[in-house]
Amino acid sequence: MPHLRPLLSQLTRAIGRHSAEVELKWMKGTLDNPPSGIRQSCRSLEEMVARRAAGEPLQYILGSQPFGPLELAVRPPVLIPRPETEDWTMRLAETLTPSPSRPAKILDLCTGTGCIPLLLCHLWPAGSIHATAIDISPDAIQLAKENAVLCGITAYGDASTQPLTTPQAKNTFMPILADLLHPEFITQARLEPPYDLITSNPPYIPQAEYDALPASVKDYEDIQALLGDSPSPHASGAPAEDRTKGLTFYHRIAALVGGHGLLRAGGTLALEVGAGQAPAVAAIVQAKAGVDKIDVWKDPWGKERVVVARR
Amino acid sequence: MFRPALRQLRLSRAFTTTRTALAQVQAQRQATYALKVEDAPIVQYVKRRVEERRKLQSEISDDALSDEDIQKVRKIRELEPLQDAWTEWKHAKESLEETLPLLNDPDPTMRSMAEEEYASLSDNMTQMVENTFPSLLVPPSDTAHLSAIIELRAGVGGSESALFTADLVRMYTRTAQSQGWTATMLGSNVLETGGMRDAIMEVKGEGAYDALRWESGVHRVQRVPATETNGRVHTSTVSAMVLPLLEEKGSNNEDDDLFTMDEVKVEVMRSRGAGGQHVNKTESAVRLTHIPTGITVSMQDERSQHQNKRRAFQVLRARLMDRKLNQEMIDRRDLRRSLVRSADRSEKIRTYNYAQDRVTDHRLGMSVKNLDSVMEGDGLQDFLKALQQRHHDELLEDVLSERS
């Protein structure tokens, strides 16, 4: 494969030898065997390498990202699912055991590609889960719908199109466009609490860290999916000292769970957090969400990554 | 110990091939051959087992069955197919004896009928000695259902050895296709200069492990490398290891009888800094360490960490299963002074000589002219079949020497 050599050197200069070798292989693999149902944005290896060398994330170039056994479509600016999220979602799927006789109603906030609820829908038995997925971005909601189709999960546009009697043997997924920080969020999102499981990977990067992010993240992925300091902090109810720590959304979620009975007694709340945020988020959840058992799960790299609480 | 039995088999085979040229003068000699087949060790062995069965039958009490009796009944039932075959053999032999005098009958019509009858009976008896008895005596393979993992590693010979590693990958892929198995590459280290430093492939299908297991060992190639300017023939090696592939478990977190999750350290490679939303670089490499044995498996070929982990567990399971099977074979051999050999992975098993257009298997002492048919066609199957036959013969020999 002599023509690969200049491409490999070009890529090596941009991302280093080791990454260049594996990524070139994956690019070639995607061109040779494009995943079915995912629109390809690149026609040639040269184009892929040029875009990668310019700093674009590999996942956007390939148009897909594996998530557990699923292959999800990804495209700018919707947040690319991370391996940390994949890991804890798999773990969550093994921790809880819903069944068609006791189906779980779940709510995923800031769903992005829909990765968390779609993976749960895929892993749990048919008819055991009905998921509602919220995002503020129309791009994300559109992509989540497409991903549901890709994964063979029955998706409903909104509650009114959902049949009165859902067929027992199916897991369902309903993506809804709504603003979590909006004062009327619960009505806007047409939520029907209580839920058995609430999951979220909300934006959690503080402004100061956001400014220092690598270009492949900052220049390509939606700031709304990353920045945890809200421009309208009043809506979250976050105290002034927490507004620059990327914690805005945790205050909001904890307040919603505690104040509006979003979580069923015995239900589970799982929140992904940024490096070093777990103690603060555990405290917020403890104070506002009305939960008692709080655990912190580490990710495969040893970082505290998820705050898991039970009511 | 192993040779005489084969000679006996060959003897009986010779006996059938000459039957067409049967002449009256030869008849008497032929007849003594036929009766001599009875002395073949395998026939003697079957006879002993049948006598043993009769003895057991006589020992069983008529009324209430004790535990010991139940054991005996089971044994009797197990030996029933052998008893049936023996009965058939006896009938054939009796008929043969009855036919013998007629071979010298003065009536030519009678003589020719006798010759036909004799030929068919002796055919039948040969068939029983060569196939029916062995298949009843050699226990069915308990790995017959397993698929295989083939690990190839370039050895001496540098880049030429890496090129040959890639050639072997193609050879096994072709063989898999022609056998109706599916071959998938699990991981490989492709070199910029061409070829592969190592490769690990999965071959899925009924009987894949049993057919491929004897490929473990050192494969040697002799040829003028593409990179060689002086036209000198180089000798390089690639080592192969064939492992039994078990059915996948639903989850990586389930313990099974080969290991418990506590014994396996799962590591992700490379730091991700803050990780999470801060980083979107793909770092999916995974390394497993099985603490009790020190076996490590690394996988990095997939973009998905989950997939890499799944495959790494698959390979770990295969390596542990391989150890287990090997240990069982060694134990069995020690226990019964068995003749069945376990694979020696450092043994040079085959030479691919390009200059002489020949592939030689050193264990079989068998050569195939037309190297291309092995590398690019389905020529490897001849070796695979012969090696399986050799294993079967060893098992049979093992059974026969068991009680004598």
Side-chain angles (χ1 to χ4, degrees):
Chain A
M1 297 175 280
H3 70 286
L4 290 184
R5 204 171 290 188
L7 294 176
L8 186 63
S9 327
Q10 189 185 356
L11 208 50
T12 300
R13 280 192 298 277
I15 59 175
R17 181 62 195 226
H18 171 79
S19 296
E21 276 180 12
V22 287
E23 292 196 8
L24 195 61
K25 184 157 73 180
W26 295 329
M27 288 174 186
K28 207 172 164 300
T30 303
L31 278 176
D32 294 346
N33 293 299
S36 66
I38 297 177
R39 195 161 41 86
Q40 295 302 305
S41 65
C42 272
R43 301 240 166 270
S44 71
L45 208 53
E46 285 74 12
E47 188 188 348
M48 284 183 166
V49 169
R51 280 170 60 178
R52 186 72 181 109
E56 187 170 346
L58 175 75
Q59 298 89 333
Y60 286 155
I61 297 168
L62 302 182
S64 67
Q65 170 64 22
F67 196 73
L70 301 177
E71 184 86 8
L72 298 175
V74 294
R75 62 173 174 259
V78 183
L79 185 84
I80 297 160
R82 305 293 202 255
E84 290 87 349
T85 313
E86 174 187 49
D87 181 73
W88 71 256
T89 308
M90 300 284 292
R91 182 168 167 190
L92 190 65
E94 284 174 10
T95 311
L96 305 175
T97 52
S99 64
S101 58
R102 289 181 306 113
K105 248 172 82 177
I106 84 159
L107 176 65
D108 182 47
L109 301 169
C110 315
T111 201
T113 56
C115 58
I116 298 168
L118 288 175
L119 183 54
L120 295 175
C121 281
H122 177 82
L123 293 174
W124 283 338
S128 66
I129 164 172
H130 302 292
T132 301
I134 311 287
D135 206 284
I136 194 174
S137 151
D139 290 319
I141 291 302
Q142 177 57 34
L143 190 58
K145 279 181 194 163
E146 290 174 29
N147 275 322
V149 174
L150 268 179
C151 302
I153 309 288
T154 309
Y156 296 105
D158 67 71
S160 62
T161 65
Q162 192 167 359
L164 287 175
T165 51
T166 311
Q168 274 260 305
K170 278 182 177 169
N171 287 340
T172 63
F173 176 77
M174 187 162 63
I176 293 177
L177 183 69
D179 176 5
L180 178 59
L181 297 184
H182 194 280
E184 300 301 318
F185 169 69
I186 296 207
T187 342
Q188 195 189 61
R190 300 180 299 275
L191 296 190
E192 295 172 351
Y195 293 91
D196 300 286
L197 169 64
I198 299 174
T199 54
S200 185
N201 176 18
Y204 52 62
I205 301 179
Q207 183 70 53
E209 290 175 26
Y210 181 83
D211 294 339
L213 283 178
S216 73
V217 178
K218 194 163 65 168
D219 296 352
Y220 293 89
E221 294 186 282
D222 198 343
I223 184 170
Q224 289 188 103
L226 298 164
L227 186 63
D229 298 336
S230 169
S232 56
H234 60 277
S236 72
E241 69 271 20
D242 273 4
R243 286 176 196 165
T244 56
K245 293 178 182 166
L247 300 171
T248 311
F249 289 85
Y250 301 109
H251 282 285
R252 176 62 172 159
I253 293 168
L256 283 171
V257 170
H260 294 80
L262 282 196
L263 193 62
R264 188 190 301 281
T268 300
L269 172 67
L271 302 173
E272 177 168 328
V273 301
Q277 290 176 326
V281 173
I284 294 166
V285 165
Q286 173 95 59
K288 295 190 176 173
V291 292
D292 42 31
K293 281 163 275 172
I294 299 180
D295 277 332
V296 173
W297 290 356
K298 286 189 174 169
D299 69 21
W301 288 264
K303 290 249 178 337
E304 292 185 335
R305 187 56 67 190
V306 203
V307 172
V308 182
R310 287 181 187 81
R311 240 197 95 195
Chain B
M1 283 188 271
F2 160 53
R3 294 290 163 206
L6 269 192
R7 211 174 301 130
Q8 279 291 355
L9 290 183
R10 266 187 227 116
L11 184 100
S12 62
R13 209 171 278 146
F15 149 71
T16 33
T17 49
T18 51
R19 71 184 150 75
T20 45
L22 196 71
Q24 218 175 353
V25 279
Q26 288 177 325
Q28 204 52 50
R29 195 145 56 102
Q30 285 285 351
T32 53
Y33 270 158
L35 293 174
K36 264 205 179 136
V37 174
E38 211 188 338
D39 297 335
I42 191 165
V43 175
Q44 292 302 313
Y45 181 80
V46 172
K47 192 174 166 194
R48 276 207 307 282
R49 297 305 303 266
V50 168
E51 276 162 7
E52 195 182 313
R53 182 173 184 269
R54 193 172 305 129
K55 185 158 170 280
L56 287 171
Q57 273 173 322
S58 68
E59 284 168 8
I60 288 178
S61 44
D62 293 337
D63 30 304
L65 288 176
S66 67
D67 279 356
E68 205 180 322
D69 285 346
I70 289 168
Q71 286 291 331
K72 284 178 183 164
V73 168
R74 184 174 304 145
K75 200 85 201 253
I76 290 166
R77 202 165 297 150
E78 272 172 18
L79 289 169
E80 201 174 299
L82 202 60
Q83 170 71 65
D84 293 346
W86 180 249
T87 309
E88 199 188 326
W89 163 268
K90 291 271 278 191
H91 283 154
K93 200 187 123 209
E94 279 161 21
S95 308
L96 195 78
E97 278 163 359
E98 284 164 19
T99 316
L100 270 181
L102 301 176
L103 291 174
N104 295 320
D105 200 275
D107 177 359
T109 320
M110 196 52 138
R111 228 164 38 228
S112 109
M113 272 170 64
E115 277 164 16
E116 265 173 47
E117 173 74 1
Y118 183 87
S120 127
L121 283 169
S122 50
D123 240 7
N124 189 10
M125 288 175 78
T126 311
Q127 167 71 16
M128 292 194 78
V129 169
E130 289 184 1
N131 297 319
T132 315
F133 289 157
S135 72
L136 288 171
L137 293 177
V138 173
S141 162
D142 45 15
T143 51
H145 60 291
L146 294 181
S147 299
I149 283 179
I150 306 177
E151 288 190 81
L152 299 169
R153 212 168 290 278
V156 296
S159 60
E160 162 64 0
S161 162
L163 287 173
F164 192 62
T165 303
D167 291 340
L168 288 183
V169 166
R170 197 172 57 246
M171 178 182 84
Y172 289 122
T173 306
R174 295 269 156 91
T175 300
Q177 281 164 356
S178 67
Q179 296 275 10
W181 301 323
T182 40
T184 316
M185 190 69 116
L186 295 186
S188 64
N189 276 300
V190 178
L191 296 181
E192 210 184 326
T193 49
M196 298 171 180
R197 193 182 307 127
D198 51 55
I200 175 159
M201 56 198 291
E202 169 193 279
V203 181
K204 275 197 161 165
E206 188 83 14
Y209 175 68
D210 275 4
L212 293 168
R213 57 196 295 199
W214 309 111
E215 293 299 289
S216 287
V218 174
H219 297 244
R220 188 170 70 157
V221 60
Q222 292 178 315
R223 65 180 174 189
V224 181
T227 50
E228 164 70 48
T229 45
N230 298 326
R232 274 189 312 127
V233 171
H234 287 223
T235 298
S236 318
T237 64
V238 173
S239 67
M241 174 94 101
V242 178
L243 306 170
L245 178 64
L246 298 155
E247 275 309 303
E248 248 179 282
K249 299 271 166 154
S251 157
N252 283 337
N253 296 333
E254 275 169 38
D255 297 341
D256 54 35
D257 51 353
L258 291 167
F259 60 87
T260 65
M261 282 308 291
D262 293 346
E263 295 170 345
V264 182
K265 186 166 76 175
V266 181
E267 289 169 288
V268 286
M269 321 275 273
R270 290 163 201 279
S271 155
R272 273 175 62 81
Q277 291 166 12
H278 291 75
V279 184
N280 62 11
K281 194 164 178 263
T282 304
E283 289 294 6
S284 56
V286 172
R287 181 170 63 203
L288 305 182
T289 308
H290 183 245
I291 298 159
T293 58
I295 292 176
T296 65
V297 182
S298 298
M299 276 287 158
Q300 59 165 26
D301 274 47
E302 294 288 319
R303 286 167 64 205
S304 155
Q305 191 176 94
H306 165 77
Q307 287 283 355
N308 281 331
K309 197 163 138 185
R310 218 194 80 217
R311 289 187 164 178
F313 267 103
Q314 220 179 358
V315 174
L316 176 64
R317 226 168 249 131
R319 291 217 181 128
L320 290 171
M321 185 67 181
D322 174 64
R323 271 174 79 100
K324 191 177 155 203
L325 290 179
N326 224 23
Q327 191 54 51
E328 280 172 5
M329 202 182 262
I330 289 166
D331 291 348
R332 210 162 40 222
R333 191 173 48 190
D334 291 349
L335 199 68
R336 316 197 324 206
R337 291 177 297 111
S338 165
L339 307 163
V340 179
R341 69 193 89 189
S342 51
D344 174 6
R345 275 76 194 257
S346 58
E347 187 189 1
K348 184 179 69 200
I349 59 166
R350 198 175 294 144
T351 297
Y352 305 75
N353 189 319
Y354 279 68
Q356 295 171 15
D357 192 27
R358 187 184 61 204
V359 182
T360 304
D361 192 290
H362 305 295
R363 298 159 297 182
L364 297 165
M366 168 178 159
S367 285
V368 167
K369 275 296 229 177
N370 189 356
L371 184 138
D372 251 14
S373 78
V374 176
M375 301 307 293
E376 310 288 340
D378 53 10
L380 183 68
Q381 281 177 47
D382 295 340
F383 287 116
L384 297 182
K385 276 189 201 130
L387 287 161
Q388 270 184 294
Q389 184 59 49
R390 182 186 74 135
H391 180 58
H392 189 270
D393 288 348
E394 281 178 2
L395 289 175
L396 178 61
E397 191 58 26
D398 202 30
V399 169
L400 296 185
S401 69
E402 195 180 354
R403 299 178 191 203
S404 49

